[in-house]
Amino acid sequence: MRALVALLALIFISAQAEPLKVAVASNFAAPMQAIADEFEKQSGYPVSLALGASGKFVAQITHGAPFHLFFSADQSKPKALLDAGIAQAGSQQTYAIGKLVLWSPGQDPQQGKILNGPYRKLALANPRLAPYGSAAVSVLTQLNLLHSSKTRWVQGENIAQTYQFVQSGNAELGFVALSQLMHNGALDTQHTWLVPSHLYPPIYQDRVVIRDAHERADTQAFLTFLQSPYAEQIIRSFGYALPGQNQ
């Protein structure tokens, strides 16, 4: 009996030692890292972050990737996991509302007039995989520049790779997330055009709990912490709006 109790205790300790595994859309990498670091300090629960394209995470989770939480860059992908019975019913919730910017490090985007040319390459995230890429396509469509610009597109697998295309100079300009150019609540560069929100659908970013992860104490603690004043201040400092607040 003592051996059995010891074994159960060991299993319990091992289960508790397993980090909370969180899949995060790449646009939210910096704020999530800051939130996770503070959460670990305050709670003692370890957190393991995976960063990447929302579409790829859905494929991985569908095929059994052992994530506990999924923070998407849109609403449709968490809903797909709910509809498939992979995510916990009732767990979908908007955690941030993203904003799109046109970034041109070498010159003033001129309120988007730079899109009329001349330029060699325009970076945007793959619209089939990344919501920020889909938003960029909406902007180009609204400005009647979709067809004239398409031959000059360079597409990133996700918004992080899109940012790298522009940062490296492989593209003179690109559509990226506002959060990627924010630091301590201020823009790192003035070479940006904050795209008017009427030119693209709102980028509501939702999260879901995967499978039975809602039974874990660290899952509930993390979701509670995400709604704390500290976490909300971090999210706003990276240029996101929060649900129920003016965008």
Side-chain angles (χ1 to χ4, degrees):
M1 179 62 71
R2 289 181 180 178
L4 178 59
V5 170
L7 177 61
L8 291 175
L10 181 61
I11 292 173
F12 175 79
I13 292 171
S14 298
Q16 293 300 302
E18 180 191 15
L20 181 67
K21 297 175 182 177
V22 186
V24 185
S26 56
N27 76 86
F28 202 68
M32 181 59 86
Q33 188 64 65
I35 291 168
D37 288 347
E38 185 63 23
F39 172 74
E40 287 184 334
K41 291 177 186 176
Q42 292 192 22
S43 70
Y45 289 120
V47 179
S48 174
L49 301 180
L51 310 172
S54 299
K56 286 207 165 186
F57 279 133
V58 169
Q60 292 171 7
I61 292 169
T62 299
H63 287 89
F67 292 113
H68 302 118
L69 292 169
F70 172 42
F71 286 76
S72 181
D74 67 357
Q75 293 183 305
S76 63
K77 294 175 181 64
K79 185 178 183 302
L81 293 176
L82 283 172
D83 292 345
I86 295 172
Q88 177 67 29
S91 68
Q92 183 170 356
Q93 185 172 320
T94 300
Y95 65 90
I97 303 168
K99 298 178 184 178
L100 187 71
V101 296
L102 180 67
W103 179 35
S104 180
Q107 55 188 314
D108 181 358
Q110 302 172 345
Q111 300 298 301
K113 294 178 182 178
I114 193 174
L115 290 167
N116 293 308
Y119 61 87
R120 291 183 303 104
K121 295 295 181 182
L122 169 65
L124 67 158
N126 187 330
R128 292 182 291 106
L129 296 175
Y132 282 83
S134 177
V137 169
S138 295
V139 173
L140 294 169
T141 301
Q142 292 287 329
L143 297 177
N144 294 316
L145 294 171
L146 182 66
H147 296 296
S148 62
S149 67
K150 203 163 189 177
T151 58
R152 289 174 281 182
W153 289 3
V154 54
Q155 295 184 50
E157 181 180 278
N158 52 50
I159 202 66
Q161 189 177 59
T162 306
Y163 174 92
Q164 291 167 3
F165 285 149
V166 183
Q167 184 186 47
S168 66
N170 288 324
E172 297 101 308
L173 63 159
F175 287 102
V176 299
L178 174 62
S179 60
Q180 294 173 296
L181 300 174
M182 297 287 289
H183 182 69
N184 291 332
L187 274 169
D188 282 338
T189 174
Q190 298 304 311
H191 298 287
T192 59
W193 175 47
L194 181 59
V195 181
S197 58
H198 70 269
L199 292 178
Y200 61 96
I203 305 175
Y204 293 112
Q205 303 193 189
D206 283 15
R207 54 82 169 165
V208 285
V209 179
I210 305 302
R211 299 184 178 88
D212 297 326
H214 69 285
E215 298 177 354
R216 294 172 56 105
D218 53 0
T219 297
Q220 296 304 321
F222 187 79
L223 294 178
T224 298
F225 185 75
L226 194 69
Q227 296 179 341
S228 69
Y230 175 89
E232 290 187 345
Q233 189 277 328
I234 289 293
I235 293 171
R236 287 194 300 268
S237 75
F238 280 91
Y240 294 95
L242 292 168
Q245 297 184 358
N246 292 330
Q247 296 186 51

